[in-house]
Amino acid sequence: MLQSMRDNLKGTAAIIVAAFFGFIMVIGGIDFFSGASGGAADAVAEVNGEKITNLDLQRAIQNRRSMIMSQYGENVPADLISDEQLREPVLRQLISSSVMRQAAQESGMVMSTAAVNKAITDIPAFQVNGTFDAQLYRDALRRMGYSTANFPQIIESDLALQQYADSVTESAFTTRADAEQVVAASMEERDFNYVVMPVQELLASTEVGDAEVEQFYQENQGKYQRPEQVAVEYIELTPEVFAANIDISEEDVRSQYNQEVKSFGSDLRRRAAHILLEDADQTKIEEIQSKLNAGEDFAELAKTYSEDVGSREEGGDLGFTTGDVFPQAFEEALASLEVGQVSTPVTTDSGTHFIKLLEVEQSEPPTFEERKGAIEGQLRAAAAESEFVDALSRLADLAYNADNLAGPAEELGVPLKTSGLFSRSSGAGVLANSQVVESAFSAEVKEDGNTSDVLNLTNEHSVVLRVTESKEAGTYPLAEVREQIVEQLKRDKASEQLAKQAEALKGKLAAGEDFAKLAEEQGLTLETSEKTRRGGFGERGEINNKAFTLPVPAAGSGELSVFATSNGDQVVLALRDVREGNLSQQSKEQRQALMQQLASVNGGAELAAIQRFLSDQAQVELTPQSE
């Protein structure tokens, strides 16, 4: 199957398709933390008989929502992150993930307990100052709704699925012919000359009459539609509003520090390494024991004998544990060792281990000076939070039926903010928040003149507002857009005038006259562009793009073009030569990098193709939603 897919992915078109699907995989990803978590019994779907529960779906929706909000902030429109909006795409992704995970299992992809444990301890979210923290781990799992029993199963599934994906992507390749096609197009070079006839110089002498302005306005009123607009006054509450006015004494900081020192836990952490034999081969166990007894290097023996792929190349190093990371028998054996000592064989569900204690750490409390700044910030934040909560509890009563919000703002000791007119789509900052926009344009607030409800945008960000001015949707009066229309008509007229001059210049060039001499006679600057490649910005980007749309000129001749840029300037361009990119002209390192990049793109495309194929073949049953 894989080879047939590869056979159908040939040529430049295949590279473009591969790049597209590679991009899709990057932005969509494969949700490795789905489908194996168990939880609520209600199934929302079954994939080849395997249930996807409602709990799985809700967790995945929350993960997707958190990802969107972390990327776009709290101003993301509420309807884009609602359960209704996210449910269908997230469920589709869960189904695809389930199919891929099943394929990984059927392919025999498994991970050892040691590799799973190492993956968990290496997760930054479970670390403090770069080292695994067991309490942080347990607290994080509890917040996410996982347990220490099922989370390793999820990680194991994740690692197996990643191994399966790598087996596809890392086996992909590209041919030199593919690379040559890509280079021929992407590194094509063009040589051309051009002059720019600036429209700006003619604007001052170009006249536009009142009748022309009126006619243009009447014929193009669709361009000058004014959306519904409001202006508001509002009170915005966050803890930061209060924090700036809070002073924290050094006495309070020192008192808090002393409490921290009293409760400081001097955790003992042990750093372990092991040699793992998954099958209890007594002969091999005795062989390793003999070499250890003879004083051979433990790390080298681990690289030779250990079947834990996650730690083998690191000399068996598993990192630190506080006593509850590894299986009980493993932890008990480790705790009985002195630094540098190696245990006798220890049996766990993973197999037989030779365990070495590499290092012991016992943390000490930080000094007052090290903690002073952080404690002061914590105390200030706590005091600000308290004032925020108090102000929030009073805000609704103070604002209710108030003629304006100046009095409530003064009572709470916070600034009263005001805005100019804005539409549903033109608000800035908090005025772009979907809840604020919806409230400001509601009939109750905009038309009836009421103060809005207190809008809790997040747990620590609330707003209340009143509309101070409103304008209904309609057409901007001519007086407001007259200057804009005059500018447009002047630019159009001047550009048309320049176009005639440009065509005349093009005619002379076509007749064989010298471009440089003609440019000098007309007071224009002749620009010469050599070895130009695609792309660019601004007007130069427009000129480059036009140059690459022209046909390749015949030998001994050129290709001429006249065109206007987006600002009305006229350009006369003479394309002189075109050279395809040549792979052989790239350095060895550049060729290797390109081949690797194309292989990676093909690998992403193959993985996407396999995912689609497996999804199409899967038996998927969706549970109808209850009304």
Side-chain angles (χ1 to χ4, degrees):
M1 177 185 69
L2 185 58
Q3 186 58 49
S4 66
M5 292 177 184
R6 284 177 172 156
D7 291 340
N8 289 322
L9 286 170
K10 301 296 182 182
T12 304
I15 298 298
I16 297 171
V17 171
F20 172 76
F21 282 117
F23 175 71
I24 292 298
M25 291 298 291
V26 168
I27 65 171
I30 297 178
D31 189 349
F32 297 132
F33 280 3
S34 64
S37 59
D42 295 338
V44 294
E46 283 193 15
V47 182
N48 295 325
E50 179 183 285
K51 288 184 178 181
I52 296 175
T53 68
N54 187 57
L55 178 59
D56 295 330
L57 178 59
Q58 292 307 314
R59 280 175 175 164
I61 288 174
Q62 182 56 43
N63 288 342
R64 183 68 60 85
R65 182 183 294 115
S66 298
M67 181 183 68
I68 294 172
M69 293 189 68
S70 67
Q71 184 174 0
Y72 296 103
E74 64 185 41
N75 291 334
V76 62
D79 58 340
L80 291 183
I81 55 175
S82 66
D83 282 9
E84 295 77 10
Q85 184 73 17
L86 295 177
R87 187 183 193 279
E88 183 178 349
V90 168
L91 180 56
R92 285 200 305 269
Q93 189 61 61
L94 289 180
I95 292 171
S96 294
S97 298
S98 180
V99 168
M100 292 291 285
R101 187 177 57 258
Q102 291 171 16
Q105 292 170 349
E106 292 173 3
S107 299
M109 301 292 183
V110 295
M111 303 303 297
S112 68
T113 301
V116 172
N117 289 335
K118 187 175 189 303
I120 291 174
T121 58
D122 285 346
I123 295 175
F126 303 149
Q127 295 178 350
V128 175
N129 296 327
T131 57
F132 180 78
D133 186 287
Q135 186 60 49
L136 180 63
Y137 170 61
R138 290 191 292 269
D139 291 344
L141 293 193
R142 189 163 48 250
R143 287 194 301 272
M144 293 188 294
Y146 296 108
S147 70
T148 54
N150 65 20
F151 189 70
Q153 297 173 0
I154 299 168
I155 293 296
E156 181 179 7
S157 177
D158 176 7
L159 293 175
L161 183 50
Q162 184 62 56
Q163 190 178 53
Y164 179 75
D166 289 345
S167 72
V168 176
T169 58
E170 292 179 7
S171 68
F173 62 91
T174 191
T175 67
R176 184 179 178 90
D178 289 337
E180 287 174 345
Q181 285 183 308
V182 171
V183 169
S186 64
M187 297 186 179
E188 178 183 306
E189 294 179 343
R190 296 197 166 203
D191 301 335
F192 54 89
N193 299 334
Y194 68 94
V195 294
V196 177
M197 297 180 171
V199 73
Q200 192 66 34
E201 296 178 2
L202 293 181
L203 294 182
S205 59
T206 303
E207 296 184 356
V208 174
D210 291 342
E212 292 177 281
V213 174
E214 177 68 30
Q215 181 180 352
F216 188 89
Y217 175 71
Q218 294 298 334
E219 293 176 353
N220 296 275
Q221 289 195 9
K223 295 182 178 180
Y224 305 110
Q225 293 302 300
R226 180 186 62 210
E228 180 183 20
Q229 295 176 307
V230 296
V232 299
E233 62 177 14
Y234 60 102
I235 296 172
E236 188 174 8
L237 294 185
T238 64
E240 289 75 21
V241 171
F242 302 97
N245 298 321
I246 295 175
D247 293 323
I248 303 297
S249 68
E250 183 164 331
E251 181 182 355
D252 290 337
V253 175
R254 189 167 291 277
S255 174
Q256 178 63 28
Y257 171 76
N258 292 335
Q259 290 295 322
E260 286 188 4
V261 171
K262 288 180 182 179
S263 60
F264 181 80
S266 185
D267 293 334
L268 188 69
R269 304 188 314 126
R270 294 180 175 88
R271 183 177 169 200
H274 77 154
I275 299 170
L276 172 66
L277 300 177
E278 294 182 350
D279 295 322
D281 184 326
Q282 190 61 36
T283 301
K284 186 173 289 187
I285 290 173
E286 292 175 358
E287 179 183 342
I288 295 172
Q289 184 68 72
S290 174
K291 292 188 176 185
L292 288 170
N293 292 341
E296 293 194 28
D297 184 67
F298 185 93
E300 291 303 318
L301 291 175
K303 291 179 181 179
T304 302
Y305 290 100
S306 182
E307 296 173 6
D308 176 8
V309 296
S311 67
R312 181 172 59 205
E313 295 306 315
E314 303 299 325
D317 192 345
L318 295 172
F320 284 95
T321 173
T322 56
D324 54 4
V325 173
F326 306 121
Q328 183 177 353
F330 189 107
E331 293 284 3
E332 289 175 354
L334 182 65
S336 69
L337 300 174
E338 299 292 334
V339 174
Q341 189 177 4
V342 179
S343 72
T344 56
V346 176
T347 301
T348 71
D349 290 342
S350 302
T352 301
H353 310 257
F354 290 91
I355 304 168
K356 182 176 182 178
L357 178 60
L358 300 177
E359 182 181 355
V360 175
E361 279 190 357
Q362 193 163 11
S363 54
E364 296 295 333
T367 66
F368 175 73
E369 291 302 323
E370 289 172 336
R371 288 290 296 153
K372 180 179 178 180
I375 292 175
E376 184 176 332
Q378 292 169 2
L379 293 177
R380 181 176 288 107
E385 179 72 24
S386 178
E387 291 197 25
F388 166 75
V389 171
D390 177 67
L392 185 59
S393 67
R394 299 165 57 201
L395 179 59
D397 288 339
L398 291 172
Y400 184 71
N401 283 338
D403 291 335
N404 58 65
L405 296 179
E410 184 177 1
E411 180 73 19
L412 296 174
V414 297
L416 176 65
K417 299 181 179 181
T418 59
S419 79
L421 287 166
F422 64 94
S423 68
R424 291 178 181 271
S425 61
S426 67
V430 72
L431 301 181
N433 181 277
S434 58
Q435 292 185 59
V436 173
V437 172
E438 183 179 354
S439 179
F441 285 89
S442 68
E444 181 182 21
V445 175
K446 182 173 74 74
E447 297 172 12
D448 299 342
N450 295 324
T451 301
S452 73
D453 293 334
V454 176
L455 308 174
N456 296 312
L457 308 184
T458 68
N459 290 337
E460 295 186 339
H461 190 183
S462 299
V463 172
V464 66
L465 60 88
R466 285 178 61 88
V467 170
T468 56
E469 183 184 359
S470 65
K471 283 187 176 182
E472 295 302 320
T475 304
Y476 284 105
L478 177 57
E480 290 188 31
V481 296
R482 178 181 177 81
E483 185 175 336
Q484 178 183 345
I485 293 174
V486 169
E487 171 70 17
Q488 179 67 53
L489 289 175
K490 281 187 173 183
R491 193 169 293 275
D492 290 347
K493 279 188 172 184
S495 188
E496 289 174 7
Q497 182 179 342
L498 285 175
K500 296 176 181 178
Q501 299 176 24
E503 287 293 345
L505 177 57
K506 176 185 175 183
K508 293 180 180 180
L509 291 173
E513 295 191 42
D514 182 67
F515 204 167
K517 183 178 179 181
L518 291 172
E520 182 179 2
E521 289 175 354
Q522 297 188 26
L524 301 172
T525 300
L526 180 66
E527 302 288 353
T528 299
S529 188
E530 304 284 352
K531 299 181 179 179
T532 308
R533 291 189 178 172
R534 300 174 190 272
F537 300 95
E539 187 170 73
R540 178 55 197 264
E542 293 182 59
I543 293 171
N544 285 356
N545 290 339
K546 183 64 178 180
F548 274 87
T549 66
L550 300 178
V552 177
S557 64
E559 190 71 30
L560 300 175
S561 178
V562 171
F563 58 95
T565 63
S566 58
N567 70 352
D569 290 347
Q570 290 288 331
V571 178
V572 181
L573 184 147
L575 177 63
R576 295 183 281 109
D577 193 18
V578 175
R579 294 175 300 281
E580 288 187 346
N582 190 328
L583 182 64
S584 62
Q585 292 179 356
Q586 309 303 309
S587 68
K588 179 180 178 181
E589 292 75 15
Q590 288 174 323
R591 292 196 300 272
Q592 289 176 340
L594 176 63
M595 297 290 282
Q596 290 173 357
Q597 184 178 9
L598 293 177
S600 176
V601 170
N602 284 343
E606 289 183 359
L607 183 61
I610 290 174
Q611 186 175 19
R612 291 195 307 276
F613 175 81
L614 293 173
S615 296
D616 290 341
Q617 298 298 311
Q619 294 182 356
V620 179
E621 296 183 12
L622 301 179
T623 302
Q625 285 185 266
S626 57
E627 296 298 332

